[in-house]
Amino acid sequence: MVRSTPQTHGDILAAAASRFAATGYRGTSLQDIASEVGCSKAAVLYHFANKEAILTELMAPATGVLRSLDEQIAAQPDPASAQRVAAEGFVDLAVRFRREIALLRGDCPELLQQPGFAHIQRISERLIDALAGHPERPSARITALVLLAGIAEQCGQFADVPDEALSAALLALLRRALEPAH
C-alpha cells in the first residue's frame, strides 16, 4: 500500500540500505526502495536525484573516514609508520563500517566506476602501497591487496563479534601476513 505523504530522507536511506543488503546495489531499483518505504518512486526522486545519490549518501561517513586515513598515511615520515597507520586505520574503518561495506558485496568493481566513488580507487591504491611496505615488490602488493579485499568482503559476516575482538583479530592477521616495512 502506497502512502500519500512523502517519507523523510532518513526513511528512504534506511529502506535503501535494507534493500541493498538483501539484493545488492544492482539488484535494487528505485521502485524497490519506494515499495520498502511505502511511497511512490516520485517521492524517492524528490529526495534523491537517482540511486547512485542514495548510495553516495549512505557511504559518505565511511568515505570521509577513508579520505582522512589517506591523509594520515601521506603525513607519515617513513614506510614503517605509514604501514602501521594504514593497517590500524583500515581495520578501524572496516570494523566501524562493516554494515555499510557489506552493502557493497559483489557490486564493488562496478560501483568504483561511478563518478561519486572514483576517488576510492585512487585512495585504495595508496593504501595498498602503504600496507605492502615494499610497493616495488609484486608479492608484497599482492599480499596487501588480498588482505584488504578479504577483510572488506568478509567483515560484515562478523556482525555478532564485538568491535574490539574483531579489530584485534584483524590486526593480528595483518601483522602476521604483511612483510614489515623498513
Side-chain angles (χ1 to χ4, degrees), residues 13-80:
L13 286 172
S18 173
R19 294 298 304 170
F20 293 161
T23 60
Y25 177 79
R26 285 187 306 238
T28 301
S29 69
L30 287 174
Q31 185 58 55
D32 294 333
I33 295 167
S35 295
E36 179 99 5
V37 173
C39 68
S40 68
K41 182 177 169 182
V44 172
L45 289 170
Y46 173 79
H47 290 277
F48 296 94
N50 52 38
K51 188 168 71 166
E52 182 188 339
I54 296 170
L55 182 64
T56 299
E57 188 161 330
L58 280 171
M59 299 306 292
T63 58
V65 170
L66 183 61
R67 285 177 195 238
S68 176
L69 175 58
D70 187 42
E71 292 168 4
Q72 292 170 28
I73 292 167
Q76 296 310 303
D78 58 74

Side-chain angles (χ1 to χ4, degrees), residues 87-142:
E88 291 171 1
F90 182 72
V91 165
D92 177 64
L93 174 84
V95 170
R96 187 167 22 159
F97 296 105
R98 60 183 136 169
R99 287 162 194 83
E100 290 84 348
I101 294 169
L103 298 178
L104 304 177
R105 287 188 57 159
D107 291 330
C108 219
E110 177 186 318
L111 293 175
L112 289 176
Q113 304 306 313
Q114 302 285 340
F117 295 101
H119 64 285
I120 292 176
Q121 188 64 40
R122 290 186 301 275
I123 293 172
S124 296
E125 286 298 320
R126 290 191 295 270
L127 182 58
I128 290 165
D129 285 347
L131 278 175
H134 305 275
E136 72 285 353
R137 292 187 195 157
S139 62
R141 284 189 50 80
I142 291 166

